[in-house]
Each structure stands twice: as C-alpha cells, then as structure tokens.
Amino acid sequence: MEDAILKFEILLKENVNYFPEISQNVLQEKKPGKWSRKEILGHLVDSAIHNLVRFTEINYIEKPYKHRPYNQMDLVNLNQYQIMDIDELIKLWFVLNKQILRIMKSVDEKALDYKIVLSDESIIDLRFLMTDYVEHLEHHINQIKS
C-alpha cells in the first residue's frame, strides 16, 4: 500500500497545479463519441465519490462487501462537467481525493484483506480496490495530459 499511497500523493500534488494551466479550448475540445478532457476530470470526480463511499462503507457494512457499479456516461452528462467552472471542478476533484488519501493512510492492515464481491461475482479485496483506484486515476490523468 505504501507505493500506491506515494504514487497517489504525487499525482495529486503534480496535477492540482497543472490542470489550471491547460487552456479552456483544450479542456473542452470534444471528439465524436469521446469525453473532453474536462469531462474526464469530471469522471474522476464521480469515481472519487463512489470510491470514497466504498472505502468507508466496507468498514461497517456486512461482509463480504458488495461492490455497486455506476453508470459512468450518465453521471458525466447529468453532472454537466463540460460546462462546469474549471476551478470548481479541480477543487472538487482535489478535495475528494485528499479525503480518500486520508482514508488510505489510516486504513487498518486487517481491513485491507476485507473481501469485495464484484457484479460478476468475482472476489477482490480492499487492498486491490485501493491500488486499482490509484492506477485508474493515473490512467485518466495521462489522458488529460496527452
């Protein structure tokens, strides 16, 4: 977990100041059937919201924890990230992820082994879900930067 936490801290620190430097035209540019960079950042907000709930609920809900998927496309559209003020969007992304980072840093070693049942009935643990969250974040940050 230490490696994932370190990577997470670096991603937040580097990008909270980088995102505001990207021009509005670049952030809002859309290609058919694809999200804009701004919408990708919005997707990361949705991901943070859902994972914040997962990372906390698993500590007090009956085990094994049942992972609930969400409709990514609908949420990006419903939340109107394409027209949201970029400074507000960046702040929202950053604050949610700072809270997730706090949780990851304080998670009990035993809790990292809590089992999670995915919608396809496969089983993972909290350690994997947290590590995967950081990888997912990095993947989409790289899309925003490209």
Side-chain angles (χ1 to χ4, degrees):
M1 276 306 300
E2 288 179 25
D3 290 343
I5 289 170
L6 180 60
K7 181 188 279 189
F8 193 13
E9 289 177 316
I10 291 167
L11 287 169
L12 292 180
K13 185 177 181 182
E14 287 178 352
N15 292 291
V16 71
N17 295 318
Y18 172 76
F19 291 154
E21 295 176 1
I22 304 171
S23 80
Q24 283 293 323
N25 290 339
V26 170
L27 284 170
Q28 293 182 324
E29 179 186 0
K30 284 189 66 99
K31 295 177 182 165
K34 300 280 187 183
W35 284 331
S36 68
R37 286 173 174 85
K38 199 173 182 183
E39 288 172 317
I40 293 170
L41 185 56
H43 164 66
L44 290 176
V45 166
D46 293 335
S47 177
I49 290 167
H50 282 82
N51 281 289
L52 179 58
V53 169
R54 291 169 180 152
F55 297 164
T56 54
E57 276 186 344
I58 195 168
N59 290 285
Y60 61 85
I61 286 188
E62 183 179 332
K63 317 284 183 291
Y65 182 79
K66 297 203 182 346
H67 181 277
R68 295 177 312 276
Y70 60 97
N71 189 315
Q72 300 172 13
M73 300 298 287
D74 284 346
L75 283 178
V76 167
N77 293 329
L78 287 166
N79 284 302
Q80 302 178 30
Y81 295 123
Q82 183 69 0
I83 62 170
M84 187 174 181
D85 177 82
I86 189 60
D87 293 328
E88 288 179 15
L89 185 57
I90 292 167
K91 287 175 189 170
L92 182 57
W93 170 80
F94 184 69
V95 169
L96 286 166
N97 279 289
K98 288 289 284 187
Q99 182 60 25
I100 290 171
L101 183 60
R102 276 187 208 90
I103 290 168
M104 288 175 71
K105 285 181 170 183
S106 66
V107 69
D108 185 288
E109 191 68 30
K110 179 180 162 191
L112 291 172
D113 294 326
Y114 288 161
K115 299 303 176 210
I116 300 167
V117 179
L118 302 179
S119 56
D120 67 0
E121 300 300 318
S122 59
I123 297 175
I124 59 172
D125 58 25
L126 182 58
R127 177 182 285 105
F128 176 85
L129 190 61
M130 287 182 163
T131 303
D132 188 61
Y133 176 78
V134 175
E135 296 299 320
H136 174 259
L137 182 71
E138 182 179 41
H139 167 75
H140 285 303
I141 285 173
N142 289 336
Q143 286 181 317
I144 293 169
K145 289 179 157 184
S146 67

